[in-house]
Amino acid sequence: MDHFTHLLSLLQRERDEDLQEFLRQIRERPLAERVERGYSWYPLQVVQMGFALGDKAFVVVERTTRRDEPHQLRSGQTVRFFTQTPHVDHPEKQGVINFVERNRMKIILNARDVPDWITLGQLGVDQLFDDRSYQEMERALHKVMKAKGDRLAELRDILTGHRKAAEVFETAPVALSTLNDSQQAAVTAILSNRDVTVIHGPPGTGKTTTLVAAISQLVEKESTVLVTAPSNTAADLLTERLAAAGVQVVRVGNISRVDESVMLHTLDSIISRHPDSKNIKKVKIQAAEYRRQARQHKRSFGYEERREREHLKLQAKELEAWAGTLEERLVEQILTSAQAITCTLVGANHPVLERYRFKTCVMDEAAQALEPAAWIPIIKCSRVVLAGDPFQLPPTVKSQEAARGGLSKTLIERCLELLPDAVHLLDVQYRMHHTIMDFSNQYFYAGALKAHESVVGHRLLSLDKEGDVLTLFEPVLFVDTAGTGFEEKINRDAGKDTSRFASKYNPEEALLLREHLLKLLEQFPDPARYPSIGILSPYREQVNYLEEMVREDEVLAPLFATSTLVVSTIDGFQGQERDIIYISLVRSNPKSEIGFLSDYRRMNVAMTRARKLLVVIGDSATIGNNAFYARFLEYCEQKGAYQTAWEYMK
């Protein structure tokens, strides 16, 4: 049990660091600053209210100022819904963001009724420190530690290397024409393994396609499969893909997108479309009205008034119990008829799933999951499928002490070490030209990957109006800024504003990137044939600078407006791809300090987003002393993919 005791202590350090950062960056700042930085919405108006699942009310609010400006509020966050109207009793309610769509947000309140002050105006929403996920992770670890003589104890011992995994079932090999050999072998392993299966899916190898195929097979043999992922975005994608494959799927919990492809499959939406839903809603509304009337009698002390108040409260309680019973039956009917239930790792402990147990838990993006979070759904299952790639983005750990202590090491990483026989590598990638793939392939995957014939040689090319080739572009290019004096800078406001992280940016490098991109686009005479473009950097401040620059450019701004061109941090772009990817490395200093760039997994993600052309811009004198980047520079030279910035400077 030492491993789990250690995890608990690391989790406490992470919680403490997270809280301190929250207090520094958010809570201790005045409302106007919180609004400006996107941690609060104020003022806003209520556009809808009603009753959510269980005994909770909801509100949908809309920003009335600073519309369409970026903000930090996301689905699943804990928030404070408040009024600044003076002399109001209890002027705030806590809740959880169910979804955010541009200027609208739905909040599930931790209350049976919307507050009486909701019509008084001066309303706002504040981000709160979210302790729920830490509580759920701690609770899961304690359950795992206490498990004795049951299936959870067996899985715990297997996943920590204290027990051998059982022999696999005898299962006929899967033969699906839509899958390649390694994908079919992975699906066969998922179906035949009694304990744990690990699907190692490098970039572009069809990990999600493989999982959807496996789940489609599993639902033919099991009543319901639990399908999880660390983020709402990943859970939504799984929901969408499973539904498209014909699997009857129910999405439980908060969502990152509100488009129909996801919304239709949420538990709330399925309930709202059910014929019994109207009756349940009517009963809840009547119960709420009785509670409102009872509150109006609160300050009355006469016998008749007290008697009436108690009568109203009793009626409300009876109606509420009736609505709860009707809703429980409906939820049970929906969940038991589902072939797959999708949710986040923390969402696996949603109240509606409390009584449910599953034979199989499928965990996608497991390499981004803190181990304590991974145990939350495992507790509910008899066998586990972990899918992901430890050589891509790791989980976010804010405490350096906790990271050094091992909190950043994921369960799938430990399984790769402890259970090699359970690991199945997907070895054919369908995204990028083989030259784009080859550097990552050799460095991270020991050369095991192959480019599929459909992409192995596909190149970026420009065509004239008759369809004849004008230019054929080489797939990889490094543009070297060494000797140009393009030195990195600290973000523009960091010195004056201690609330901002000291992120780096490099304006000259950004201008060089723009110059290169504009020259490239000149090779495409027809704007309708422009390729899709992604501009990435590991530094948020460089992304801000690049985005500002793109918006102000008459050629690039229309592409940005239509999402033909996207500017993003590397972390924000995982899971996406474009024809062309530019990477701005930013770092250029006489000490050869590379900071963020030393996380090679992040660079692996960035380099493998490109389908046809990868352009990396950086200072070889700064990055070349690092073994990883020295190998990359050598690779570019071998491929004839090296240029100096001087070629673009006039």
Side-chain angles (χ1 to χ4, degrees):
M1 299 303 169
D2 289 349
H3 172 68
F4 295 99
T5 304
H6 183 56
L7 276 181
L8 282 168
S9 69
L10 296 177
L11 198 60
Q12 183 59 52
R13 289 175 204 165
E14 176 69 2
R15 186 209 302 254
D16 293 344
E17 178 63 30
D18 199 3
L19 175 58
Q20 290 307 310
E21 183 180 313
F22 172 81
L23 294 174
R24 269 194 318 271
Q25 303 294 334
I26 304 173
R27 198 75 205 113
E28 293 174 353
R29 312 224 155 250
L31 177 59
E33 272 193 54
R34 298 199 301 273
V35 171
E36 185 180 347
R37 302 187 185 289
Y39 295 109
S40 302
W41 281 12
Y42 181 87
L44 50 78
Q45 62 184 7
V46 175
V47 295
Q48 188 184 353
M49 49 188 168
F51 298 96
L53 195 58
D55 57 348
K56 294 185 177 180
F58 76 82
V59 292
V60 177
V61 298
E62 186 174 66
R63 285 195 282 189
T64 55
T65 62
R66 305 181 72 88
R67 297 176 66 82
D68 295 329
E69 288 195 12
H71 60 87
Q72 308 298 323
L73 299 173
R74 301 288 182 267
S75 58
Q77 288 178 341
T78 302
V79 292
R80 179 178 72 105
F81 179 49
F82 66 89
T83 180
Q84 290 215 306
T85 303
H87 314 302
V88 170
D89 290 336
H90 310 296
E92 61 181 56
K93 294 285 184 184
Q94 286 194 16
V96 175
I97 299 175
N98 181 242
F99 68 74
V100 182
E101 181 189 24
R102 294 189 63 187
N103 297 302
R104 286 196 174 197
M105 175 193 303
K106 182 176 180 180
I107 306 167
I108 309 297
L109 299 173
N110 294 336
R112 293 181 301 183
D113 303 310
V114 295
D116 293 335
W117 42 258
I118 201 167
T119 58
L120 300 179
Q122 300 187 58
L123 303 175
V125 171
D126 249 343
Q127 184 179 335
L128 292 180
F129 180 68
D130 187 3
D131 202 41
R132 295 173 309 119
S133 58
Y134 289 107
Q135 291 177 11
E136 295 293 356
M137 287 189 280
E138 284 184 0
R139 195 173 293 127
L141 290 178
H142 283 298
K143 282 185 180 178
V144 173
M145 291 171 72
K146 290 177 182 176
K148 191 174 182 180
D150 58 9
R151 184 56 179 154
L152 177 57
E154 291 175 356
L155 284 175
R156 176 196 65 208
D157 293 345
I158 291 166
L159 289 166
T160 53
H162 292 97
R163 182 190 184 109
K164 276 192 171 185
E167 295 293 324
V168 299
F169 295 112
E170 288 295 330
T171 304
V174 169
L176 297 172
S177 60
T178 54
L179 302 183
N180 64 44
D181 290 346
S182 66
Q183 291 170 333
Q184 292 187 63
V187 174
T188 302
I190 289 170
L191 298 177
S192 61
N193 213 306
R194 298 173 188 268
D195 301 314
V196 182
T197 311
V198 178
I199 307 303
H200 185 183
T205 55
K207 172 175 59 65
T208 304
T209 298
T210 305
L211 289 183
V212 169
I215 294 164
S216 299
Q217 298 283 315
L218 284 170
V219 298
E220 299 297 324
K221 302 178 180 182
E222 302 175 15
S223 54
T224 310
V225 178
L226 181 63
V227 183
T228 66
S231 68
N232 284 304
T233 302
D236 289 349
L237 175 62
L238 286 164
T239 303
E240 197 172 26
R241 295 285 299 274
L242 285 167
V247 175
Q248 191 171 336
V249 58
V250 177
R251 172 75 164 92
V252 171
N254 307 305
I255 55 175
S256 65
R257 304 200 318 274
V258 294
D259 52 279
E260 193 174 79
S261 61
V262 175
M263 281 291 289
L264 276 174
H265 306 288
T266 63
L267 181 58
D268 288 341
S269 178
I270 295 169
I271 288 173
S272 69
R273 299 194 303 272
H274 196 279
D276 292 348
S277 178
K278 288 183 180 178
N279 291 332
I280 295 171
K281 188 176 180 180
K282 284 179 184 177
V283 174
K284 286 188 174 185
I285 290 171
Q286 187 59 60
E289 176 60 21
Y290 285 149
R291 285 194 296 271
R292 188 190 66 79
Q293 292 177 22
R295 287 196 297 273
Q296 288 181 334
H297 288 283
K298 192 174 182 180
R299 292 185 174 85
S300 302
F301 298 102
Y303 172 75
E304 290 299 327
E305 288 82 358
R306 289 201 308 273
R307 183 177 174 186
E308 177 65 13
R309 183 170 70 241
E310 292 306 314
H311 177 63
L312 288 167
K313 287 167 67 177
L314 180 61
Q315 285 185 297
K317 190 174 181 180
E318 289 174 348
L319 286 174
E320 192 175 47
W322 183 25
T325 300
L326 293 173
E327 195 169 67
E328 277 180 25
R329 289 176 185 166
L330 181 53
V331 169
E332 184 175 4
Q333 179 184 332
I334 292 167
L335 293 180
T336 52
S337 63
Q339 292 179 304
I341 292 173
T342 56
C343 59
T344 62
L345 303 178
V346 174
N349 222 20
H350 193 288
V352 298
L353 298 178
E354 187 177 355
R355 296 183 294 106
Y356 289 83
R357 295 294 177 268
F358 305 88
K359 182 173 182 180
T360 305
C361 164
V362 176
M363 192 183 306
D364 196 10
E365 303 296 356
Q368 292 185 54
L370 292 175
E371 182 176 340
W375 284 102
I376 298 172
I378 292 174
I379 286 170
K380 293 180 171 291
C381 302
S382 298
R383 62 177 180 171
V384 186
V385 178
L386 302 174
D389 180 14
F391 301 120
Q392 295 188 63
L393 288 180
T396 300
V397 178
K398 295 179 179 178
S399 165
Q400 292 187 4
E401 187 182 358
R404 285 193 299 268
L407 188 60
S408 59
K409 187 165 186 176
T410 60
L411 189 58
I412 192 171
E413 284 180 89
R414 292 204 297 103
C415 287
L416 287 173
E417 297 170 4
L418 296 172
L419 304 169
D421 292 343
V423 178
H424 298 269
L425 175 72
L426 305 181
D427 61 12
V428 180
Q429 68 84 15
Y430 295 82
R431 175 181 298 157
M432 65 204 96
H433 188 282
H434 73 90
T435 305
I436 300 172
M437 174 195 77
D438 277 346
F439 175 72
S440 288
N441 186 24
Q442 297 301 326
Y443 191 91
F444 294 101
Y445 307 107
L449 302 186
K450 303 180 288 287
H452 188 261
E453 60 183 16
S454 62
V455 301
V456 65
H458 70 170
R459 302 267 290 275
L460 182 69
L461 48 86
S462 62
L463 306 173
D464 61 19
K465 292 184 178 179
E466 284 71 42
D468 294 325
V469 176
L470 291 173
T471 310
L472 188 65
F473 297 88
E474 293 300 320
V476 174
L477 177 64
F478 179 78
V479 182
D480 192 356
T481 65
T484 60
F486 292 180
E487 291 204 355
E488 68 194 51
K489 295 174 174 59
I490 287 283
N491 60 330
R492 290 157 283 181
D493 302 320
K496 299 175 284 184
D497 183 355
T498 56
S499 75
R500 296 189 67 176
F501 293 110
S503 181
K504 303 286 193 300
Y505 77 115
N506 192 320
E508 290 86 6
E509 185 174 288
L511 292 169
L512 173 64
L513 188 154
R514 182 183 67 178
E515 180 70 15
H516 187 281
L517 176 56
L518 290 173
K519 281 184 176 296
L520 184 148
L521 292 177
E522 286 175 2
Q523 307 299 312
F524 293 81
D526 182 3
R529 294 179 181 268
Y530 279 164
S532 59
I533 305 156
I535 301 177
L536 309 181
S537 178
Y539 289 93
R540 165 54 65 185
E541 194 66 17
Q542 183 76 341
V543 169
N544 293 343
Y545 190 90
L546 285 161
E547 188 171 308
E548 198 175 295
M549 184 184 69
V550 164
R551 287 177 187 273
E552 294 173 356
D553 188 278
E554 61 180 13
V555 175
L556 302 180
L559 304 181
F560 185 77
T562 58
S563 297
T564 302
L565 187 158
V566 176
V567 185
S568 174
T569 61
I570 296 169
D571 296 46
F573 201 73
Q574 182 160 3
Q576 301 183 59
E577 56 189 69
R578 291 292 187 276
D579 293 327
I580 303 171
I581 289 293
Y582 280 87
I583 305 174
S584 175
L585 297 181
V586 176
R587 301 310 297 262
S588 179
N589 58 74
K591 296 181 179 180
S592 296
E593 293 176 349
I594 64 171
F596 244 4
L597 301 185
S598 61
D599 188 342
Y600 310 140
R601 292 174 295 185
R602 182 171 275 107
M603 292 311 300
N604 185 35
V605 169
M607 291 176 176
T608 55
R609 300 305 98 192
R611 299 188 194 110
K612 300 177 180 179
L613 173 61
L614 170 66
V615 181
V616 181
I617 302 178
D619 179 358
S620 65
T622 298
I623 66 172
N625 290 324
N626 176 276
F628 173 83
Y629 292 99
R631 277 182 62 175
F632 177 67
L633 293 172
E634 183 183 338
Y635 178 79
C636 291
E637 288 178 0
Q638 289 172 355
K639 300 294 181 182
Y642 176 91
Q643 290 181 351
T644 71
W646 297 104
E647 297 179 41
Y648 299 91
M649 295 168 66
K650 294 181 181 178

